């Protein structure tokens, strides 16, 4: 029997069509990836499967049970981890596990069984040393792991995971995959919504949503195979690889491109030839070579291509350590200002986009822009012009009267970045600016970042996306509050190369360098 059957399912919110006539079958014992850009309908579909909402049209059955007729039974047979999991922050890790076990009726009257289950979940989530720590004191990654452990309570038939690996380091992400693999081997159906397309590529089956419609359903390899002969890499680039990428993305035959260390990867549109790419490679002293297509290439191509190479924010000539905490030891300077003695002057030289945005939900988008312009001392004509530039550059006009809390994630990210850029700082700090956003929006952000760097801005980015590290000139790999390696992306990958893996990815490099650091009791920060 199929684990999930979706027949013509649709969902409307007033005039807004969130899902439109979705048909899909999900089998037990398989990992199904749910992918799509921001606002595609992924979370809505998961909530329908969890019987937290009812479809406007069509029918959905989970573990053989109709979600409309018997929602309470569906709740018993599913585990659901939403993007913002409902942990109780004033309870400890162990108390949260006990609470969810009680709610699911797991191990009541059988303490040995409950203890074994808790031990397994804590070992998987690497939370064993933190059982007494309050959930509110956990890092973002550790909260995700605790949320997953709670969702697994009761061994559900169907496990629904809404971007469970956002904010989780590569080592923990691989451990998460290992456990999910054990679950599917035991017959559980796992549906994993993800913004990491390398994760989707590893799934048994993929559902690709766009604007509420199901654009593709099948093995990820079947979508990737459509791009045979269209993926290329420009190697041995002499000079500014960001400029090479920008020029490549402006070519009509090119639908997508990214930086890979010292090289530039490009995808041609269907039917296009390589002459334009060969010219770009020759102009910059590089050479063009074909490479195997990736699922990510096919994903971007199916959605019509990436955002291009032009950054409106960088073209305004923006020239572009935050001073929020003083160092306990050592010395830190930003733009020549010592953070111990002149933190106020240092703050005026930087733009800071926090991981949690630092936006004000009680203010509208327009009022947030006005507020940050005032904080950075902008007045009169300059203030009005900068706010206007931000609205135009980041396409915020339709949302000016809305609360940031009501924005789609991609536009919330845009607003946070615009506030950080308002005063044209020479130094920009971005704390996981693309966490949770779809690959198209991620490319848009990196187009802005690359353009700013080309114009002299110093940018420090924190990220759990190892492919994003490829864009950087230097990468500091941190684990357990230590820098374990600092070098260019290509040199870090060379350090991790072996006879079995001669061409490692950045994620391979991170994992191998962590293992080489001989740090016991690995715990995600």
């Amino acid at each position: 029997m199929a684990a999930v059957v979706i027949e013509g399912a649709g969902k409307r919110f007033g005039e807004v069509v969130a899902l439109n006539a979705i048909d899909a079958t999900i089998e037990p014992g398989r990992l199904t990836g749910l992918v799509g850009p921001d606002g595609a309908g992924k979370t809505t579909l998961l909530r329908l499967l969890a019987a937290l909402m009812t479809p406007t049209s069509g029918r959905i059955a989970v573990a053989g049970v109709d979600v409309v007729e018997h929602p309470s039974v569906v709740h018993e047979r599913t585990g659901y981890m939403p993007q913002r999991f409902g942990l109780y922050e004033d309870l400890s890790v162990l108390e949260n596990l006990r609470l969810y076990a009680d709610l699911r009726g797991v191990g009541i009257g059988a303490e040995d069984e409950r203890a074994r289950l808790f031990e397994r979940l804590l070992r998987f989530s690497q939370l064993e040393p933190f059982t007494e720590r309050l959930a509110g004191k956990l890092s973002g990654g550790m909260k995700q792991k605790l949320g997953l452990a709670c969702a697994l309570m009761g061994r559900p038939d169907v496990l629904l995971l809404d971007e469970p690996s956002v904010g989780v380091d590569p080592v923990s992400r691989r451990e998460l995959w290992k456990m999910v693999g054990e679950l599917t081997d035991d017959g559980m159906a796992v549906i994993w919504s993800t913004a990491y397309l390398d994760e989707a590529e590893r799934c048994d089956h993929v559902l690709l949503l766009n604007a509420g419609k199901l654009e593709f359903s099948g093995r990820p390899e079947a979508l990737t195979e459509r791009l045979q002969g269209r993926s290329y890499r420009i190697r041995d680039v002499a000079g500014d690889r960001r400029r090479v990428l920008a020029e490549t993305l402006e070519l009509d035959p090119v639908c997508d491109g990214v930086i890979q260390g010292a090289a530039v990867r490009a995808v041609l549109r269907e039917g296009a030839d390589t002459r334009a790419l060969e010219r770009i490679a020759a102009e910059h002293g590089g050479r063009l070579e074909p490479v195997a297509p990736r699922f990510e290439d096919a994903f971007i191509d199916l959605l019509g291509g990436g955002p291009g190479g032009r950054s409106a924010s960088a073209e305004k000539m923006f020239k572009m350590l935050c001073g929020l905490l003083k160092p306990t030891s050592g010395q830190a300077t930003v733009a020549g200002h010592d953070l111990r003695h002149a933190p106020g002057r240092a703050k005026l030289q930087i733009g800071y986009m926090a991981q949690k945005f630092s936006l004000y939900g009680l203010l509208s988008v327009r009022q947030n822009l006005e507020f940050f312009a005032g904080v950075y001392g902008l007045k009169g004509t300059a203030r009005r012009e900068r706010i206007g530039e931000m609205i135009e550059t980041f396409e915020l006009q339709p949302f000016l009267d809305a609360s940031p809390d009501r924005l789609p994630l991609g536009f919330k990210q845009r607003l946070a970045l615009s506030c950080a850029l308002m005063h044209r700082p020479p130094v920009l700090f971005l704390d996981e600016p693309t966490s949770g956003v779809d690959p198209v929006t991620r490319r848009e952000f990196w187009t802005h970042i690359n353009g700013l760097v080309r114009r002299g801005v110093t940018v420090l980015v924190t990220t759990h996306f190892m492919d994003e590290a490829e864009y950087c000139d230097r990468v500091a790999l941190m684990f357990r509050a230590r820098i374990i390696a600092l070098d260019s992306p290509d040199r870090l990958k060379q350090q991790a190369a072996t006879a079995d893996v001669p061409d490692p990815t950045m994620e391979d490099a991170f994992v191998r360098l962590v293992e080489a650091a001989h740090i016991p009791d690995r715990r995600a920060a």
Side-chain angles (χ1 to χ4, degrees):
M1 180 179 72
V4 176
V5 177
I6 307 171
E7 298 175 338
K11 182 63 180 179
R12 285 179 172 268
F13 298 97
E15 298 299 317
V16 177
V17 179
L19 291 172
N20 185 10
I22 305 296
D23 290 295
T25 300
I26 296 170
E27 300 295 336
R30 297 173 68 181
L31 177 58
T32 299
L34 184 59
V35 298
D38 192 27
K42 303 186 295 297
T43 297
T44 299
L45 181 57
L46 289 180
R47 289 176 178 171
L48 291 177
L49 299 182
L52 299 177
M53 296 190 305
T54 57
T56 308
S57 58
R59 176 182 176 273
I60 298 176
V62 176
V65 180
D66 190 282
V67 299
V68 175
E69 296 177 358
H70 304 287
S72 60
V73 179
V74 174
H75 297 163
E76 294 174 359
R77 298 186 182 181
T78 58
Y80 176 47
M81 180 180 169
Q83 288 182 21
R84 294 174 181 166
F85 196 73
L87 298 173
Y88 290 84
E89 299 204 343
D90 56 348
L91 298 182
S92 70
V93 168
L94 190 56
E95 287 170 337
N96 268 279
L97 289 177
R98 288 171 178 161
L99 174 62
Y100 277 90
D102 289 343
L103 292 174
R104 307 272 314 201
V106 175
I108 295 178
E111 290 302 317
D112 289 344
E113 176 189 340
R114 177 177 286 209
R116 286 193 298 272
L117 174 61
F118 286 3
E119 180 183 358
R120 178 171 180 245
L121 293 173
L122 289 168
R123 184 172 59 251
F124 151 71
S125 59
Q126 296 184 344
L127 293 173
E128 297 148 298
F130 307 104
T131 55
E132 300 305 316
R133 181 174 295 186
L134 295 180
K137 299 296 184 182
L138 298 176
S139 68
M142 293 165 77
K143 287 180 180 177
Q144 291 288 80
K145 293 178 180 180
L146 177 57
L148 177 61
C150 292
L152 287 171
M153 203 71 66
R155 278 309 265 203
D157 296 322
V158 179
L159 181 61
L160 308 170
L161 305 176
D162 199 351
E163 302 195 10
S165 56
V166 168
V168 175
D169 69 88
V171 174
S172 300
R173 194 150 60 103
R174 290 191 175 192
E175 292 166 350
L176 172 60
W177 270 91
K178 181 179 178 181
M179 185 168 186
V180 169
E182 294 174 1
L183 295 173
T184 55
D185 288 344
D186 289 344
M188 186 182 295
V190 179
I191 304 173
W192 180 310
S193 170
T194 180
Y196 294 86
L197 292 185
D198 62 324
E199 290 183 347
E201 196 164 22
R202 296 170 59 184
C203 293
D204 301 310
H205 194 89
V206 168
L207 303 177
L208 197 161
L209 294 175
N210 185 35
K213 296 181 179 179
L214 184 63
E215 300 285 357
F216 175 81
S217 175
R219 295 179 302 106
E221 312 92 81
L223 185 62
T224 304
E225 288 166 1
R226 300 180 184 182
L227 262 73
Q228 289 292 342
R230 293 167 56 189
S231 296
Y232 292 85
R233 181 166 54 193
I234 303 175
R235 300 196 60 172
D236 305 323
V237 171
D240 187 354
R241 65 214 167 114
R242 293 183 181 87
R243 179 180 175 186
V244 177
L245 175 63
E247 292 180 4
T248 298
L249 289 173
E250 291 303 302
L251 297 174
D252 290 336
V254 173
C255 73
D256 187 36
V258 296
I259 287 176
Q260 284 190 325
V264 172
R265 184 185 181 97
V267 178
L268 291 174
R269 299 189 187 277
E270 188 172 8
D273 59 42
T274 62
R275 286 176 295 181
L277 282 180
E278 290 169 348
R279 176 178 56 79
I280 290 287
E283 289 176 354
H284 295 276
R287 57 189 177 91
L288 187 68
E289 63 179 18
V291 292
R294 306 175 305 180
F295 181 81
E296 184 164 332
D297 298 337
F299 175 92
I300 299 295
D301 178 70
L302 184 66
L303 298 183
R310 177 179 172 271
S311 168
S313 65
E315 291 180 4
K316 303 292 185 181
M317 281 310 284
F318 283 151
K319 300 183 78 174
M320 314 205 54
L321 312 156
C322 306
L324 299 179
L325 294 174
K326 290 186 177 181
T328 306
S329 59
Q331 185 179 18
T333 62
V334 174
H337 298 287
D338 191 301
L339 290 183
R340 281 182 180 273
H341 302 108
R345 289 195 293 272
K347 290 177 186 177
L348 292 177
Q349 298 298 310
I350 65 173
Y352 176 46
M353 179 176 167
Q355 187 174 357
K356 298 299 183 183
F357 303 124
S358 296
L359 299 172
Y360 293 89
L362 295 179
L363 302 180
S364 68
V365 169
R366 186 193 303 276
Q367 290 168 333
N368 269 272
L369 294 171
E370 293 278 359
F371 174 78
F372 280 95
V375 166
Y376 289 122
L378 297 175
K379 300 178 181 179
T381 302
R383 178 170 175 158
R384 290 192 298 272
E385 288 180 351
R386 301 283 175 80
I387 292 174
E389 287 176 3
M390 294 301 102
I391 292 171
E392 179 184 357
T393 298
F394 293 99
E395 300 177 353
L396 298 173
Q397 186 67 45
F399 307 101
L400 291 179
D401 296 324
S403 163
D405 295 340
R406 304 297 300 271
L407 296 181
L409 179 58
F411 278 94
K412 188 179 294 185
Q413 301 274 46
R414 292 183 186 188
L415 175 59
L417 181 58
S418 68
C419 291
L421 295 176
M422 184 73 66
H423 59 306
R424 299 182 177 175
V427 180
L428 180 62
F429 291 91
L430 305 174
D431 193 359
E432 300 197 28
T434 61
S435 179
V437 304
D438 66 85
V440 176
T441 303
R442 200 179 311 144
R443 279 163 167 73
E444 177 190 327
F445 265 67
W446 277 98
T447 296
H448 290 307
I449 294 169
N450 289 331
L452 294 166
V453 171
R454 288 181 59 200
R455 286 159 175 81
V457 179
T458 298
V459 181
L460 177 64
V461 179
T462 67
T463 181
H464 281 104
F465 289 90
M466 290 295 101
D467 58 336
E468 290 191 341
E470 299 272 19
Y471 284 90
C472 301
D473 298 302
R474 300 179 78 207
V475 176
L477 297 182
M478 294 194 69
F479 196 79
R480 299 281 306 276
R482 290 177 48 196
I483 292 179
I484 61 174
L486 175 62
D487 214 324
S488 70
D490 285 344
R491 287 175 181 161
L492 290 174
K493 288 185 288 187
Q494 289 169 9
Q495 293 179 42
T498 64
D500 294 332
V501 187
D503 188 21
T505 64
M506 275 300 300
E507 182 162 318
D508 294 331
F510 180 90
V511 173
R512 291 183 182 277
L513 290 169
V514 165
E515 293 171 345
H518 300 292
I519 302 175
D521 186 26
R522 295 197 308 258
R523 285 171 285 178

